[in-house]
Amino acid sequence: MFSRWRRRRSTQDKPRAVDNSGAGTPETTVGHTQQLQEWRRSAQRVTRAWNAWLAAESRDRAIRYSVFVAALADEERAAAEVERMVDLADVGQCVTTTDPWNGRLGAR
């Protein structure tokens, strides 16, 4: 009753998958990915430490708080590394830009 007739898409209309395998990946991209993953893991440790501190009984609260503060310090360090990475990437983009006259990359 509510069936739809579907038109077949031609091979030209279908989006093509892009192969983003590790072949030809610059080392800096891998390093950036690792830094972002480390930041995410440290943020997760902060969340777990916070929840453990909130759930702790009174005799364990001081220890749980110190674990939370240490996890927070790790997250701050990881965030600073990511911020430095982003700042360096922004500087790199300013140096290498697309030349509007010929469409090629060139240094300014």
Side-chain angles (χ1 to χ4, degrees):
M1 181 171 152
F2 293 106
S3 64
R4 289 185 173 170
W5 179 76
R6 292 188 180 183
R7 167 178 86 100
R8 291 192 141 221
R9 295 171 70 178
S10 70
T11 56
Q12 294 174 349
D13 293 342
K14 292 182 182 178
R16 295 183 182 193
V18 177
D19 182 19
N20 286 332
S21 64
T25 303
E27 291 178 13
T28 55
T29 303
V30 173
H32 293 179
T33 302
Q34 289 172 346
Q35 284 180 331
L36 288 171
Q37 288 173 346
E38 176 58 32
W39 182 31
R40 179 66 185 139
R41 283 190 298 267
S42 64
Q44 290 170 342
R45 285 191 296 270
V46 168
T47 301
R48 286 191 298 271
W50 169 264
N51 290 334
W53 177 43
L54 290 179
E57 296 180 9
S58 60
R59 67 176 187 260
D60 293 334
R61 287 185 70 81
I63 293 171
R64 297 294 181 180
Y65 178 74
S66 62
V67 170
F68 167 69
V69 170
L72 197 58
D74 276 351
E75 193 273 336
E76 288 288 332
R77 181 201 49 78
E81 286 294 318
V82 169
E83 183 178 23
R84 186 181 63 79
M85 173 189 68
V86 168
D87 288 344
L88 290 175
D90 287 345
V91 168
Q93 288 177 355
C94 291
V95 173
T96 305
T97 60
T98 302
D99 184 357
W101 288 280
N102 64 13
R104 294 182 184 169
L105 290 177
R108 282 190 172 183

